[in-house]
Amino acid sequence: MEEISFEEFKRVELRVARIREASRVEGSEKLLKLSVELGAEKRQIIAGIGKAYSPEEIIGKEIVVVANLAPRMLMGHESQGMLLCADAELPVLLAPSREVLPGSSIL
């Protein structure tokens, strides 16, 4: 595993987001299109979690996202962040252990 400095780590902005809407990306078995709330800000995130989660079961869930990642196009949809998952046989969403306000920073 490659080490990074503390200064490099501080540049990554991790925040709590709440999933407001979710749908499957047409033509993909694993991509979901999520509309997430980061406080007053709303974003779209394209995530490869569709084999582990249905859109219906994740609406309303709080997740942890990398909020300052440059946007990227995935199958014709812009992803404006990245959610964090544990790498298991199927992805496992990382989430706060109790409810917090969307947009809260991860310290």
Side-chain angles (χ1 to χ4, degrees):
M1 176 178 355
E2 182 182 342
E3 292 182 347
I4 63 171
S5 71
F6 185 70
E7 292 304 314
E8 289 172 301
F9 175 73
K10 286 185 356 183
R11 292 182 54 212
V12 178
E13 186 178 333
L14 299 175
R15 293 173 53 194
V16 174
R18 182 170 289 129
I19 300 172
R20 292 297 183 193
E21 298 175 26
S23 61
R24 295 205 174 271
V25 171
E26 192 174 324
S28 175
E29 290 182 3
K30 69 176 194 172
L31 293 180
L32 296 183
K33 181 171 69 169
L34 311 176
S35 174
V36 301
E37 175 188 350
L38 286 155
E41 184 180 359
K42 302 219 181 338
R43 291 198 191 175
Q44 175 173 281
I45 294 178
I46 309 302
I49 60 171
K51 289 189 175 183
Y53 298 94
S54 70
E56 300 78 22
E57 74 181 292
I58 62 172
I59 293 173
K61 287 196 179 291
E62 291 181 336
I63 57 174
V64 177
V65 300
V66 179
N68 62 338
L69 190 65
R72 175 178 164 184
M73 295 299 288
L74 296 168
M75 292 194 68
H77 300 275
E78 184 177 57
S79 186
Q80 301 163 332
M82 178 184 288
L83 60 79
L84 299 184
C85 288
D87 184 19
E89 186 174 317
L90 291 173
V92 177
L93 290 173
L94 299 183
S97 61
R98 62 179 196 244
E99 190 172 326
V100 296
L101 290 175
S104 295
S105 293
I106 305 295
L107 306 174

